[in-house]
Amino acid sequence: DMVDGMRMDLWKSRYNNFDELYLYCYYVAGTVGLMSVPIMGIAPESKATTESVYNAALALGIANQLTNILSDVGE
């Protein structure tokens, strides 16, 4: 999925609505968040479910990408 997101950069630079932008953010950054969980791990004492950790990692990746895009708007 991450590679597909990078490929999107080759043919598309504008998105018609938030759903399209969200999908792009999933591909280029949400996937990075998901891939980070096994590398960083989940603390053994954590009471969070594995699913909630992955959901949070996905949301953080998407939020970071949206923030990055917003910082480019002024340019």
Side-chain angles (χ1 to χ4, degrees), residues 12-61:
K12 189 164 186 158
S13 62
R14 294 192 179 267
Y15 296 88
N16 294 321
N17 55 52
F18 186 77
D19 289 339
E20 285 185 7
L21 180 61
Y22 183 91
L23 186 60
Y24 170 75
C25 290
Y26 162 76
Y27 279 118
V28 298
T31 54
V32 175
L34 294 174
M35 290 186 288
S36 298
V37 174
I39 295 166
M40 292 188 284
I42 302 171
E45 66 274 5
S46 173
K47 297 199 184 326
T49 65
T50 302
E51 181 180 3
S52 70
V53 171
Y54 275 94
N55 287 337
L58 174 61
L60 180 59

Side-chain angles (χ1 to χ4, degrees), residues 2 4 10-11 16 19 23-24 44 46 52-53 57 61 64 66-67 69-71 74:
M2 186 185 75
D4 286 341
L10 298 174
W11 58 270
N16 294 321
D19 289 339
L23 186 60
Y24 170 75
S46 173
S52 70
V53 171
N64 283 335
L66 286 170
T67 302
I69 291 167
L70 286 172
S71 71

